[in-house]
Amino acid sequence: MPGNRFRLIFASSAAHMHNHMAINLIIAVLPAFQAILILNYTQTELIAAVFFISYSFSTFASGLLGLRHSKKWLVVAGQLLAFVSLLILAGYQNYTLVLLIQVLFGFGCGTYHSPGTTILVDFSPRERINTYLGIHGFASSLGMIISPLIVSYFLISHGLKNLILFFAFLTFVVAAIYSALIESDKPEKLPVKEFFTFFRKSASRHLVFSYLLRDASFWGIMSFIPLYAFNVVGLSKAASAAVVALFPFMGLFANVTGGFLGDKFGAVKVAVLSIFLASLSLLPIIVIPSPKIFYLTVIALGVLLYATIPLYDSIVALHMPLHYRSPAYGIFQGIGFFFGGLFSLGAGVISDYIDVKFFFVFLMVALLLSAFLMRFVGSNDELKTS
């Protein structure tokens, strides 16, 4: 059993780390695409938006497919699609082609979260779910730190094409590891219609909208960091890519700490406090925008938002019966990424046509509302465990 748990945590964490490396690859290369293809804020953020929206549909679809098909092989199939799309992206020629490839790449990457998180939760000890998800989240933070640093190194030394080919090779290796170490699951062939009936009647509306606002804000912030650093702070393309690592670096141990505190004090209580403080941390950059305040804002948001990742995943899991967790993750994470794409596009539109600081005002309001809604979600003792 300990060996099985190690393989489960290792393979799941490796896949999660890679998945977020891939997400940050797209985010960190935005300044490079902006400079090479001569794009404005809106056009550049549209690259991220297309990726996130495609990712969201894939997350939703893979969650539903997990009701009737092997979750393990859904993950592997997506990783292989991401591998192929990166090989195509390496030969990009124009802006339209880059956008079209984001559809494929986003769909390939999007198959991990719903089936992959469900596999981890289903096989984790009940009393350690938050802690295991914290380790899982730690790996994603690590991947999001490594990814922009790799991007920065390749942009300086080897160029964009070799960077993309490197990520393609890495994607194939992770797919091989996951397929070798994760045990094949046995789907229960449950009717999709029954799940939607259950979800419509039983899912907490407060949780749905709190999750949506928190996740969309998270990805909106992530995609905006390199463009703000490049256009406002004045960093180079490589340095702007590297500064993206600061956000997940601050969240590296916040994942594990958040999971531990969730087990000790209750996931809902810790989540409400973290999201509320995250919203307040945006106030300085709105009132006194400057490069120093920008860095401090990224640091604070990294700690506070990353601490909520295992908490929200745990709350969703424990609101759902075991056999409905995969499609539930599909819905929650799907809407999070979908609106994350819209928030990314909104960042570009607001920056081009209004003012950069108004995007931070928008995010502050969204996070305050997320914290307020989470207050009405049941405590851990009231969550479903069967």
Side-chain angles (χ1 to χ4, degrees), residues 205-216 275 312 366 369-375 377:
R205 303 300 185 268
H206 296 105
L207 177 57
V208 170
F209 285 103
S210 177
Y211 196 109
L212 181 160
L213 291 167
R214 178 258 168 217
D215 233 30
I275 296 296
Y312 271 77
L369 185 56
S370 177
F372 175 75
L373 291 169
M374 180 55 76
R375 291 182 65 248
V377 177

Side-chain angles (χ1 to χ4, degrees), residues 17 41 61 64 81 105 122 242 248 269 276 292 297 315 349 372:
M17 179 175 75
Y41 273 115
L64 294 179
L81 177 59
F105 189 52
D122 288 353
K269 291 179 181 178
F276 176 71
K292 289 183 179 179
T297 301
I315 293 165
V349 173
F372 175 75

Side-chain angles (χ1 to χ4, degrees), residues 100-119:
L100 291 174
I101 293 170
Q102 295 315 303
V103 176
L104 287 178
F105 189 52
F107 205 86
C109 292
T111 65
Y112 176 73
H113 273 97
S114 302
T117 306
T118 303
I119 287 174

Side-chain angles (χ1 to χ4, degrees), residues 95-298:
Y95 178 64
T96 303
L97 182 61
V98 170
L99 289 179
L100 291 174
I101 293 170
Q102 295 315 303
V103 176
L104 287 178
F105 189 52
F107 205 86
C109 292
T111 65
Y112 176 73
H113 273 97
S114 302
T117 306
T118 303
I119 287 174
L120 177 61
V121 169
D122 288 353
F123 296 141
S124 297
R126 169 66 181 83
E127 69 279 5
R128 289 288 180 268
I129 287 178
N130 286 292
T131 301
Y132 276 37
L133 285 169
I135 296 171
H136 189 240
F138 177 93
S140 75
S141 298
L142 187 61
M144 295 183 87
I145 293 168
I146 294 171
S147 182
L149 298 180
I150 292 173
V151 169
S152 182
Y153 167 74
F154 270 86
L155 289 178
I156 293 171
S157 304
H158 303 290
L160 186 58
K161 181 177 180 179
N162 288 324
L163 164 69
I164 295 169
L165 289 174
F166 169 79
F167 268 89
F169 171 75
L170 181 63
T171 301
F172 185 82
V173 170
V174 171
I177 291 172
Y178 197 83
S179 61
L181 295 185
I182 294 292
E183 295 182 15
S184 295
D185 54 305
K186 297 178 180 179
E188 298 183 51
K189 305 290 184 183
L190 297 168
V192 174
K193 185 178 179 180
E194 288 186 9
F195 163 72
F196 279 113
T197 300
F198 173 85
F199 190 88
R200 188 170 59 252
K201 293 180 179 178
S202 304
S204 166
R205 303 300 185 268
H206 296 105
L207 177 57
V208 170
F209 285 103
S210 177
Y211 196 109
L212 181 160
L213 291 167
R214 178 258 168 217
D215 233 30
S217 299
F218 181 93
W219 295 116
I221 290 165
M222 278 295 298
S223 68
F224 196 60
I225 285 173
L227 292 182
Y228 190 93
F230 182 59
N231 293 282
V232 179
V233 181
L235 300 182
S236 67
K237 295 189 295 294
S240 297
V243 80
V244 176
L246 181 61
F247 189 64
F249 176 77
M250 299 313 301
L252 190 61
F253 295 99
N255 272 297
V256 178
T257 303
F260 171 79
L261 292 175
D263 281 332
K264 189 173 182 64
F265 299 107
V268 172
K269 291 179 181 178
V270 179
V272 169
L273 180 61
S274 296
I275 296 296
F276 176 71
L277 293 176
S279 68
L280 294 184
S281 72
L282 286 163
L283 192 58
I285 200 168
I286 295 169
V287 178
I288 320 170
S290 70
K292 289 183 179 179
I293 295 296
F294 166 70
Y295 291 122
L296 291 174
T297 301
V298 171

